[in-house]
Amino acid sequence: MTKKKVYVISHAHWDREWYMAFEGHHMRLVQLMDDLFDLFAHDPDFNSFHLDGQTIILDDYLAVRPEMRPTLKHWIDAGKLRVGPFYILQDNFLISPEANTRNTIIGRQESEKWGQPVPLGYYPDTFGMSAQTPQMTRLGGLDTVAFGRGVTPTGFNNTTGSLGDYDSTYSEMWWQSPDASKVLGILFANWYSNGNEIPADRAAAKTYWTEHLAAAEKFAATPDLLFMNGVDHQPVQKNLSQALAVARELFPDYEFIHANFSDYIAALKQDLPKDLTTVKGELTSQATEGWYTLANTASNRVYLKQQNTATERLLEDHAEPLMAVSGLTGADTQDRLTYAWKTLLQNDPHDSICGCSVDEVPRDMLARYAHAQQVGHWLTREALTKLAGQVDTTAFPADSKPFLLFNGAAVTQHQPTTVTIEWDRAPFSEGAPRAQYAKLEEERKALPPLRIIDAGGNTVPAHVVNTAVRFNYDLPDDAFRVAYMGLYVTVQVDAAVAPFSWRSLALTTGTAADTLVPQTDHTPTIDNGRVQAAVNTDGTVSFSDLRHNRHFPDCLRFVDTGDIGNEYIYRQSSDNQRIQAGPAQRVTRTVTGGLQTLTYDQVLRIPVSADDRLGQEQQSVTDITQRQAGRSDQLADLTLHVTLSLASEDDTLHIRVTGDNRMKDHRIQALFVTGIHSNHHQAESIYEVAQRPNTTGPNWKNPENPQHQQAFVDLSDDQGGLTVGNFGLNEYMIYPKDGTMAVTMLRSVGEMGDWGYFPTPEAQCQGPFHAELTVTMHDATAADTLAAYQAARAAQITVADVQLPVQQAGALAADRTYLTVGNPAFAVTSTRISPESGKMLVRGYNMTAQPQSVSVQYGDEPAEAVVDFLEKLLPETPSGALRPAEIRTYRFDV
């Protein structure tokens, strides 16, 4: 009889920051690494230690022990430390598709600096797995993943009838993406600590292995049993060799192997049976009772998600495409871009971006976001300046001030852009600062009427917002800083900019009639002939799709509920009340050229906190499902300031909400009540527009069903539907009874949760807050639906601007489209020059479940090849149709 093999893999799941601030965990990491090196040197039987799949651990250790680099390299070369393949262990859903991909790319690069990366997509504690993970794994050069959540193992002896969509007979399975990419999946069915703290005492070992072997065998598809020796921040078990020797004596029918993932996976693949279950799509514990999916982390500390989205959009849609089109692609700038990405990715581990940590952690995260954004803005400005030096401006008058608008989005940007232009300057080298200021101030007062023109001399609608004199300076590359006073004109420009294009305009003199002055009144409706929004007296907002004669009365409303949960899980207070914001107050309509806005206030009169019982339940670590706290009897007003914006020729309505939250233990949602009855909806996820059911499974007990989104959620029927976009508001819910999409704008809680009581007063998010949403209505055609999706994605991307030199004969046209995508089904996620190959890469995905023919051109050049994430050639041709939900990276020889 062949012995079953027990593969024991030593590891520690290493959250860089969580229930302690970063440095608390960091100091324990240093001790762990020192202990490992000592163990490697003195125990030749200790096979290896799995370093949690993330290479950043190496950087963290060397930050304290730089002199240990040679020792670290020695033990990696010896196979004792197993590193990679990722840079960090990210949350799948809350970061962008590109952030997921860069984690793979940077992780592979960092791993290969040290040795051979572990051949495993490693997701031990990720809060749900996106559907495209198998395809992304394949594109990252891997074919196997290991994860801890999402699938229910049934055990081959316990299976009765057919399996559910999210059940697997074994802890091993095939996992398939929507495009049909398939990988081998290994579920930690008994968690990633099922081999933790193995006893060396014979009696204890007998009991331990009797229980643990039976638990593993219950689900294992092969004789190869996996035991993970470690858990969160666990010190290495130094007597493991002795403990395994005892196990071998006690259980001679098993072969106990202190192993590593490379050896285990190789053995597993040889022994796989033919009857493995194939699970498909995203794995979010849909078949459970619904309380511990941890999806509410999508709305915890919303300000982190908003900063994350802002940083991603800056790097992905400003810095990288501008660096590409301007030629700012030297090694000295590409390494700065990589630094910005690494800084951003350091905020992307699941306990960090999910906001489910003690208060010190988000403080550190905000600093990292600021650093990444500073680098991103520097690169963007450098690229814009380099681009400006190449644009032909000879069409503009010699006394004008040309400038460029850059649109990195896939749709025409109609929203007016505010640009500040330097009209004149007075250098300090030519006079004292005070005198130079006075000189320009006199010039400012005497400014003639101004207007904006395009390259053909046509007047473009604009409004002069402000003129000012202020200090500024230049930092030349080859000289000391140059200080001056500048005269600046700030203009709101109503100029449409085509997709993936730039457009050159100029500020010049003109008559007062050319300046668009804002007109205000108290009409509660805005209407551009395509879309209408009307504020009702009760504060709800009705939307009308004038193109297709469809109306959504009383659609938008703001609702508050009590929250007695924690950073992981929302639980409504025992009163079960929904408090709707009150009547609209101070309604004002403003029309400035092609832009119409409605501003109004609404008051939420709500309890100031939960009642005293919540504190008792928190202190006693009462389980979320057992809590009974209510809300305080003391009420206070929370005023919402709402702005609705609608540009001419635009089908998208923009919504901005601001407020000052002084309450605790509550949640504010924007509800879009559509009246649409459908059994499913669509939401943008990671490289996918996921179709999700509107109802839950038979085991679901949670009264709510929170879901993740990227840029939008959509609810439609056979007539069409409504797409709600967002900026950093990653949580939504569907209430199927009245066709409501609910997007969480603010969530206030007072504790971290999980395994103890960790107060988090800053997670109450008291103070100023804001939320940005969009609404796009569409008919039932694929073209109109895709246009709504693309509009929601584009709403996250601002138009960049830069002033141009006057009367310059440049190699680049004043107006130009740098990227052309022939099918709106293809959502572009990245346009950049590869630091490794120097080639242009354009990546995106098919938003539909049908094959799509797509032509992509960079300038006038067609793509030369299709490559994977690591830039290895794929067999697909650039002209070939995309598979349903296919992720594709086009390479251009430019």
Side-chain angles (χ1 to χ4, degrees), residues 798-855:
T798 59
V799 172
D801 66 270
V802 65
Q803 194 160 342
L804 300 171
V806 181
Q807 292 279 296
Q808 168 186 268
L812 299 176
D815 301 334
R816 187 186 182 194
T817 296
Y818 65 88
L819 182 67
T820 304
V821 178
N823 188 333
F826 188 69
V828 175
T829 61
S830 175
T831 303
R832 69 184 184 113
I833 296 292
S834 164
E836 290 71 46
S837 67
K839 298 290 186 72
M840 169 65 73
L841 303 176
V842 176
R843 181 162 37 249
Y845 73 96
N846 179 359
M847 291 197 289
T848 76
Q850 294 79 39
Q852 297 285 345
S853 296
V854 179
S855 61

Side-chain angles (χ1 to χ4, degrees), residues 42 82 164 180 217 264 329 347 377 413-414 431 451 484 496 522 611 646 701 724 735-736 743 816 824:
H42 294 95
R82 303 287 174 145
E217 289 173 330
Y264 166 70
T329 54
N347 281 347
H377 285 302
Q413 295 279 33
H414 294 283
R451 65 191 180 113
Y484 59 90
H522 298 291
D611 61 24
L646 184 62
K701 298 293 188 294
V724 175
Y735 299 107
V743 179
R816 187 186 182 194

Side-chain angles (χ1 to χ4, degrees), residues 168-170 172-174 184-185 221-222 272-278:
S168 172
T169 303
Y170 306 110
E172 299 79 28
M173 67 206 74
W174 299 114
L184 174 62
T222 74
L272 287 175
K274 296 181 180 180
D275 62 340
L276 285 188
T277 305
T278 296

Side-chain angles (χ1 to χ4, degrees), residues 406-427:
F406 178 87
N407 177 17
V411 305
T412 299
Q413 295 279 33
H414 294 283
Q415 285 283 307
T417 303
T418 300
V419 180
T420 298
I421 301 160
E422 182 185 289
W423 184 261
D424 199 1
R425 71 167 57 181

Side-chain angles (χ1 to χ4, degrees), residues 291-302:
W291 278 112
Y292 296 98
T293 66
L294 309 186
N296 289 124
T297 57
S299 60
N300 182 46
R301 301 185 192 260
V302 164

